[in-house]
Structures are given as C-alpha cells and as structure tokens.
Amino acid sequence: MEYKRTLEEAPEALQRFLAPFMEQLTTKNLGNTVELMTEDERAELERLLGLMIEPPRSFAPYSF
C-alpha cells in the first residue's frame, strides 16, 4: 500500500521539490534547475522522476 501511495503522490512531490528552484530562474526549464542543485538534491530528483517513469511492479503471490 505504501509503494502504491508513493507512486500516486510522485507528481505532486516533484512539483513541490522543484518549486524553490524554479522561483530562482528567469528561464524555467529542468536543465537550468539541475545546475542549481546539490548532489543530494539531484539524487532526490532522479528518485522522483524514477517513480513517475517506472511502471508499477506487479508482485507474484509467492514472492514473499
């Protein structure tokens, strides 16, 4: 359930994460935003983007 909720909330979480960076830019695009980020912030961006891009994982009944 937690995994599904995280996937559903990913687009909103990405918007909240990017908002402070976008406010600092005159030309607002993702490439310019990445230049302002620290290494840890880039890792968080990759995690959020991965949640939005990866299809949900199906779990086999005997996988546990």
Side-chain angles (χ1 to χ4, degrees), residues 23-55:
E23 290 174 1
Q24 298 176 38
L25 298 171
T26 54
T27 304
K28 299 178 185 329
N29 67 43
L30 195 54
N32 292 346
T33 304
V34 172
E35 293 174 6
L36 299 174
M37 294 180 184
T38 65
E39 190 173 324
D40 290 338
E41 291 167 335
R42 285 187 199 116
E44 177 64 6
L45 175 63
E46 287 182 28
R47 184 187 76 80
L48 290 169
L49 289 174
L51 288 172
M52 293 175 53
I53 294 169
E54 285 185 23

Side-chain angles (χ1 to χ4, degrees), residues 56-64:
R57 300 176 192 164
S58 61
F59 293 101
Y62 301 108
S63 63
F64 296 102

